[in-house]
Amino acid sequence: MTHALAFTEEDLRRLAGARSFERGVGYVSVVSRLEIGGETTTATVDGTDAYEIELTEDEDGRLSGWCDCPYGREGNFCKHCVAVGLAVLEQAGSAPQQRSAAASRTRLLDDWLESRTREELAALMREQLAVDRGLRRRLELRAATAGDDSAIVRERILSLLDTRPFARHGYVEYADAHAYGQQAAEAVAALRALTAGGRAADAVEVAREALRTLGRTYGEIDDSDGLIGDVATGLAEAHLEACLSSRPDPVEAAEWLVRHLLDEENGITDIDLFDYREVLGEPGMTRAREMVVAAWRINPKAWTEKYLMERLLKADGGSVDALVAVHAADLDPNGHTHLVIARELEGAGRKAEALEWAERGLREAESERGPDDELVAFVCDRYTRAGRLADVVTVRRDLLGVRPSLTAYQHLRTAARTAGTWEGAERAGALGVLRASDLPVKGRWYGGSVLVDALMDDADVEAAWQAAADGYADQQQWLALADRIRDEQPADALTVYLRWIEPLRTETGDRTYERVAELLLSARACHRTLGTEAEFAAYLAALRADQKRKRKLIATLDQHGL
């Protein structure tokens, strides 16, 4: 059944967004090989490269698009899709006829193929295979998986994972990763076909080698879209399916699995040892445990060994003490491992020991890297629950002294207010820490002090202004202060705005010009409040005269009504 177009130009704009839609308008003239089918329209658009586009209308008339440009491969309705959609709309009147013709061609081809003899179809296929290497490779693999030659199957599957045909300078770039991923995905289908065809034992061996091959080459691929990661997951699943079907020797399978998991190059496959419980049985799981424990004892600080030990203990219902011992063998210098231990102990109902470990983490954390923010929050939360508000203040005060920041100041303020000790000595001491953590520097552009931020956060604008005058503020902080006082102290704010306009006179660039316009608008608001608009008009005229050669700046000022 043929039908008219169900989508409109507005649908294209909605799917693409205003920016991509406007850019797509400029590509309509380079749309070629446009074929309007029953539900699918295909075309080529000549952009940076020649891109292939496919637009599809579902049964409800909803439109979707696919393009092999980088933006389109991310799942976006790109400018090339817009161009093809617009080209189709230009032919809306003839769309029913084109769709009818496409349906007729399909029926004609089907009837013709069905009328050919077996010999004629084989000759036709051989003719096509001579010019389509991709099709030849896929059919060779299907033939091999249906036959008995394991060597050919292995060679064909591993060739699908070979990155060399797609690598430029030894690396598969983003533009080529999609094509490589599509080819590599055929290896997963072939492995599953082997298992389904009663050759699961062969599939196990080839899958192992395929996993090893992809693990070695993954670092040479730009997998920003995660396509190759999906292939790796598929290979792992195909391997497990083959193992469940063939039932390999459990001890040998366990040894392969643990060696595979301990190999850092195989992290992409994301295999979980415990998915193989049924395959390994008790003999295999026992051997796996032996190997993991031995590996961890040799290298207790290695991430993989530590993770596998933790996984073993949790899966087997091991003691909390054993799990604590695994974590305690490699304590992070920021105290995060102490937090992990504390949570495990607390989950086991050992709250006092949990708090002791967390407190130890605070004491042992290196000043440059710790303590971990989550660890601090954990301790403070437990102190608060116990009514130890003064201890919360102490922890927050110590942290401010180690790492002065606005966040640390805010946390201390909250804790001290809860304890009723903020106003007075506590606040004065905190501000003293911030003042001592920086040196006053007049006229600084960047790197303003936390002191000014803290005073503004306290809404103590007068003190913040004084700190800025003492040299603790950068440009952004001065301007933030000026914005705060503009209504009540327009003269002081005006001084700030004019001060920061002056150095911009010697700079160029769109961002600079926008900044000048923003500052002039703020200055004008001050003059209006002061009733000195004539003075601003004279200043602006002088500035425009001085900067008249910067045509983009003058145009920017005009756009802002200056």
Side-chain angles (χ1 to χ4, degrees):
M1 178 179 178
T2 60
H3 54 82
L5 299 177
F7 68 90
T8 65
E9 184 175 306
E10 188 56 37
D11 292 323
L12 298 176
R13 186 185 297 274
R14 176 179 51 79
L15 288 167
R19 186 166 182 268
S20 288
F21 179 84
E22 295 304 328
R23 296 179 70 185
V25 172
Y27 280 84
V28 176
S29 61
V30 291
V31 173
S32 61
R33 297 169 58 192
L34 179 66
E35 292 189 14
I36 302 176
E39 295 178 348
T40 301
T41 296
T42 60
T44 300
V45 175
D46 292 317
T48 307
D49 292 302
Y51 296 118
E52 299 298 322
I53 292 85
E54 183 176 289
L55 300 183
T56 303
E57 294 178 71
D58 64 17
E59 294 179 354
D60 297 322
R62 288 188 295 266
L63 182 69
S64 61
W66 181 88
C67 176
D68 64 353
C69 74
Y71 188 61
R73 286 202 298 266
E74 292 176 359
N76 299 296
F77 197 90
C78 66
K79 60 188 178 185
H80 307 114
C81 291
V82 171
V84 173
L86 291 172
V88 172
L89 289 175
E90 289 180 354
Q91 301 182 27
S94 63
Q97 293 84 354
Q98 292 188 57
R99 285 176 165 169
S100 177
S104 297
R105 290 194 300 271
T106 299
R107 287 194 300 271
L108 180 64
L109 178 59
D110 287 343
D111 292 344
W112 181 78
L113 288 172
E114 289 177 2
S115 70
R116 299 301 92 190
T117 65
R118 178 177 178 179
E119 291 75 16
E120 288 174 326
L121 288 174
L124 181 64
M125 181 60 70
R126 292 191 189 95
E127 179 184 331
Q128 185 63 28
L129 292 176
V131 297
D132 191 334
R133 295 177 60 186
L135 177 62
R136 183 182 187 87
R137 184 182 64 246
R138 291 193 295 273
L139 292 184
E140 284 176 345
L141 183 55
R142 289 193 183 188
T145 54
D148 297 322
D149 195 330
S150 298
I152 293 179
V153 174
R154 172 189 171 279
E155 186 276 328
R156 286 286 79 195
I157 288 179
L158 294 181
S159 72
L160 293 171
L161 301 173
D162 186 0
T163 59
R164 287 174 296 181
F166 301 88
R168 303 178 187 180
H169 312 295
Y171 184 79
V172 181
E173 297 177 353
Y174 178 83
D176 303 303
H178 183 77
Y180 172 72
Q182 287 183 314
Q183 174 179 298
E186 295 175 23
V188 178
L191 287 169
R192 286 178 165 147
L194 269 182
T195 299
R199 299 171 61 189
D202 289 339
V204 169
E205 294 304 317
V206 178
R208 289 181 180 183
E209 195 162 357
L211 287 165
R212 191 162 49 246
T213 298
L214 188 59
R216 285 197 304 267
T217 59
Y218 184 69
E220 302 166 1
I221 305 168
D222 182 348
D223 190 30
S224 299
D225 291 341
L227 295 174
I228 317 305
D230 291 341
V231 170
T233 299
L235 289 176
E237 291 172 349
H239 175 260
L240 176 58
E241 291 166 9
C243 287
L244 288 168
S245 179
S246 68
R247 299 294 177 170
D249 178 82
V251 173
E252 186 277 334
E255 291 175 347
W256 180 86
L257 275 169
V258 174
R259 286 195 299 271
H260 177 85
L261 292 170
L262 290 173
D263 188 341
E264 292 183 0
E265 286 188 336
N266 294 325
I268 180 182
T269 56
D270 199 26
I271 286 177
D272 188 338
L273 176 64
F274 292 91
D275 287 341
Y276 287 78
R277 277 185 183 274
E278 184 180 341
V279 174
L280 302 180
E282 192 52 39
M285 289 304 299
T286 298
R287 179 58 182 144
R289 291 186 190 95
E290 292 173 353
M291 293 181 68
V292 170
V293 171
W296 175 73
R297 286 176 175 166
I298 293 171
N299 196 0
K301 295 188 175 183
W303 186 90
T304 302
E305 284 81 345
K306 183 176 177 180
Y307 170 77
L308 287 175
M309 270 297 293
E310 180 185 353
R311 189 82 178 83
L312 272 176
L313 289 170
K314 287 188 174 181
D316 291 345
S319 71
V320 173
D321 291 319
L323 192 57
V324 168
V326 171
H327 291 300
D330 181 28
L331 296 172
D332 290 331
N334 69 349
H336 181 73
T337 317
H338 296 77
L339 174 61
V340 173
I341 293 172
R343 285 173 171 164
E344 293 289 348
L345 288 167
E346 191 172 72
R350 295 157 64 174
K351 295 182 179 180
E353 293 174 73
L355 184 56
E356 288 175 7
W357 266 100
E359 291 171 328
R360 176 181 163 184
L362 291 183
R363 292 194 303 272
E364 296 179 356
E366 295 180 2
S367 59
E368 289 122 16
R369 300 183 59 184
D372 179 80
D373 289 338
E374 290 185 37
L375 174 64
V376 175
F378 180 93
V379 172
C380 289
D381 177 71
R382 275 43 177 194
Y383 283 169
T384 301
R385 293 182 191 182
R388 299 170 57 180
L389 301 182
D391 290 334
V392 177
V393 173
T394 299
V395 170
R396 293 301 185 182
R397 184 192 304 128
D398 291 345
L399 187 58
L400 179 68
V402 173
R403 285 203 309 260
S405 68
L406 178 60
T407 299
Y409 179 84
Q410 291 168 331
H411 281 309
L412 174 56
R413 183 178 63 198
T414 299
R417 280 179 174 168
T418 302
T421 61
W422 177 241
E423 300 302 335
E426 192 67 63
R427 179 172 184 262
L431 293 173
V433 168
L434 298 183
R435 188 177 296 276
S437 69
D438 199 358
L439 294 174
V441 178
K442 296 288 186 179
R444 68 171 92 187
W445 276 81
Y446 305 104
S449 74
V450 178
L451 174 64
V452 175
D453 288 334
L455 289 168
M456 284 197 291
D457 198 60
D458 281 342
D460 192 347
V461 177
E462 183 178 349
W465 185 271
Q466 184 57 55
D470 291 341
Y472 286 95
D474 64 6
Q475 182 199 39
Q476 291 304 315
Q477 290 173 324
W478 269 115
L479 293 173
L481 277 169
D483 291 342
R484 292 269 190 103
I485 68 170
R486 189 165 69 194
D487 293 337
E488 290 78 23
Q489 299 170 246
D492 290 334
L494 177 61
T495 301
V496 174
Y497 297 136
L498 296 180
R499 181 196 312 158
W500 292 109
I501 288 173
E502 290 309 305
L504 298 178
R505 287 174 179 262
T506 60
E507 297 185 21
T508 58
D510 291 349
R511 293 182 63 183
T512 296
Y513 300 153
E514 285 292 336
R515 196 75 185 111
V516 170
E518 291 173 8
L519 291 169
L520 285 170
L521 289 170
S522 296
R524 184 172 67 184
C526 292
H527 276 291
R528 284 175 175 171
T529 302
L530 292 166
T532 56
E533 294 177 79
E535 184 178 330
F536 174 76
Y539 174 85
L540 179 60
L543 184 143
R544 290 177 67 103
D546 177 63
Q547 302 285 303
K548 62 184 179 181
R549 293 186 179 180
K550 297 178 181 177
R551 296 181 180 178
K552 191 66 177 291
L553 170 60
I554 299 302
T556 301
L557 297 182
D558 290 340
Q559 290 172 3
H560 288 279
L562 291 165

